[in-house]
Structures are given as C-alpha cells and as structure tokens.
Amino acid sequence: MPENSYHQALGARFSRAVPHVRALGIHIVEVCSTQVTAALPYRDDWLGDPVRGLIHTGVITTLVDSASGLAVLARLERYEPVATLDLRMDYLRPALRDLALNCRAECYRLTAHIAFVRASVWQDDAGAAVATSQSVFMLSSRKKQRTL
C-alpha cells in the first residue's frame, strides 16, 4: 500500500502523465518510499520473435526504465525532473508470450545529484527473473521544486 498522499498521487498520476507509459499500458501496482512495482500486460505487439513466442527486450528495458525513474521520485518524496544516465540490463531468460511482465524497482542510494536503482523483471514467478537491472539517474539541479 502507498505510504502517504504523495505516493498515492504519484502512483495514480504517473501512468497518465508520462506519454510512453500511457501508450504502452504500464500499470503502477505499488508505490512506497522503498520500492515501486509496475506491470505491463501482454500484447502480441511485444513479440520480437513471433515464431518462438519471445517478447522483445526493448519492451522489458522500457518497463524497467519507467519503473526505476518512478522509484527515484518515490524515494525523493517530491517531484523533481530526473534523467537516466546509465541503465544496465542483464537478460537472464526469455520472456514468453501470453504472460504479463512485472517489475520491482528500488532506489537504494540517493545523493544530492545522483540516484542509484536496482530492478528485477519477472512473469509468473517473482523468483525466476527474466531480467535484472542496475541504473543511475541524475536529479535536477533546479533550486525550485515543483509539487505533483
């Protein structure tokens, strides 16, 4: 469950406010100060290899980048523009057709200008990740902070 009104608003508005998140249909399942969980329902459009029924890795990367950026905003507990500086993906096993993708992202270190995030993506078993990620985000250097 979200921890406070900021987390509730962030979770409710993120999917509507970010155009590519809205277009892909990413659902925000949980937002709290320690982690974010997001889900992406399956679509045939996601297949990179229709013969073998494998989901394209670009879809997985987009889900991870979106959830990871949201995890930074949840950790900050205020709205501030952030930008992905580095995103490392490790694809551990194929993502299969007909199953949703789920992502849990945690902002585990925050400095004045940089945020560090790790994430995991799975389909039907959270213990069997299809991909993991480490990423670094740059925080805005603006003095004035906006509210959500």
Side-chain angles (χ1 to χ4, degrees):
M1 285 307 244
E3 292 182 354
N4 61 38
S5 61
Y6 171 77
H7 292 115
Q8 289 172 338
L10 186 62
R13 297 177 89 187
F14 188 77
S15 294
R16 293 188 316 262
V18 180
H20 75 274
V21 170
R22 185 177 60 246
L24 291 174
I26 294 173
H27 299 287
I28 306 308
V29 176
E30 176 188 29
V31 178
C32 66
S33 63
T34 57
Q35 69 182 19
V36 165
T37 304
L40 180 60
Y42 173 78
R43 288 199 288 205
D44 285 338
D45 296 345
W46 304 153
L47 292 178
D49 184 344
V51 173
R52 294 189 304 160
L54 306 179
I55 296 175
H56 193 285
T57 56
V59 173
I60 299 168
T61 302
T62 302
L63 174 62
V64 167
D65 190 35
S66 300
S68 296
L70 181 58
V72 172
L73 295 177
R75 176 77 185 266
L76 287 170
E77 297 194 355
R78 67 179 184 274
Y79 176 78
E80 178 176 330
V82 299
T84 309
L85 290 178
D86 183 45
L87 182 94
R88 175 196 163 98
M89 293 293 300
D90 292 317
Y91 298 99
L92 307 175
R93 59 180 47 86
L96 305 174
R97 79 168 11 125
D98 298 324
L99 297 171
L101 293 167
N102 303 285
C103 179
R104 183 171 299 117
E106 173 196 11
C107 179
Y108 65 92
R109 173 104 168 95
L110 190 60
T111 71
H113 303 286
I114 303 292
F116 299 87
V117 180
R118 56 184 145 230
S120 178
V121 178
W122 71 95
Q123 289 189 292
D124 58 352
D125 179 2
V130 297
T132 59
S133 172
Q134 291 275 126
S135 55
V136 179
F137 286 78
M138 177 180 67
L139 308 181
S140 170
S141 59
R142 291 180 169 175
K143 297 286 185 196
K144 180 180 175 188
Q145 301 301 321
R146 294 185 275 174
T147 58
L148 184 65

